[in-house]
Amino acid sequence: MPLQKISEFDTDYHNTIEGNDIKGMGVYVQGTDEKIGTVNDAVIDDQGAFRYLIVDIGFWIFGKKVLLPVGKSRIDSTANRVYVVGITREQAENLPEYQEHTTLDYDYEEKVRGGYRTPSVESSATLGSTVGRTTPSPDSYTYADDEDLYDVSAHEDQTFKLYQERLVANKQRRKSGEVAISKHVETETARVAVPVEKERVVIERVTSQDTGKVVSAEATDFGEGEVAHIDLYEEVADIHKEAFLREEVRVQKVVDKETVEAQETIRREELDVNTDGTRIENKTDRG
């Protein structure tokens, strides 16, 4: 029956059990306001059943921690208290001390159980007596053999907690994708037509209306070396490239909103009361 602390069995035990954390609760003598210590931790078996509370009984014995079987306790979560049932200071003094390195094996548990099996100081039995009881072997022992130590239902005035499941909706922000925006250069062949003009000389010989008429010797000017100069011009295409702004691209993020709905089956506990016809009274402090 391997035992371990509740935080080692379930690291998320706070959410599992809901309600107040048992760690730090004050421990009091049943029926009084006498505080004897504080709950330091809880010990459970491999099935998750509570078996012991680790209690620092510094108000009784300074610096000592002991294991308190759950059957000897009554937890009042409303008052944030744990009441010890039927334990005397003398028994606490004789209980084996619990330390962090203590091995919770059968032999150690038997020492603990032996301390709680000891009759109270009002009893005439001697300390450490187990009258009328045969201690079982380690192989055959079950916690049912010490019902008064481990069965919390054996006490009167018990507090029942009714639990209910509920859906908790949270949001987490996570990366859903990535958009990379860059530029690249594409090439193409562009064609352009530019009309140009060229000058050329056209020599036209025509028949004058005075052709054939006799002219005077004075009007006649025969000579050599007469040259006429005519400048010819032409247009040459001047084609070059220039860059210009074609368009502007703006990049921004927008948020699209939507509602995500989920449906789950949740449970809740209801109290069943079976009586033999005895009249009971139901009270509630809920408004």
Side-chain angles (χ1 to χ4, degrees), residues 10 23 34 61 73 78 84 91 114 133-134 233 268-269:
D10 181 3
K23 294 182 183 180
E34 180 185 1
I61 305 170
S73 67
T78 303
V84 178
Q91 285 177 302
R133 184 184 188 280
T134 301
Y233 292 94
R268 67 178 179 185
E269 297 177 339

Side-chain angles (χ1 to χ4, degrees), residues 223-244:
E224 294 182 4
E226 183 177 350
V227 179
H229 292 276
I230 300 175
D231 293 331
L232 300 178
Y233 292 94
E234 67 176 6
E235 294 177 333
V236 178
D238 181 13
I239 300 174
H240 62 277
K241 295 187 293 185
E242 63 180 7
F244 64 96

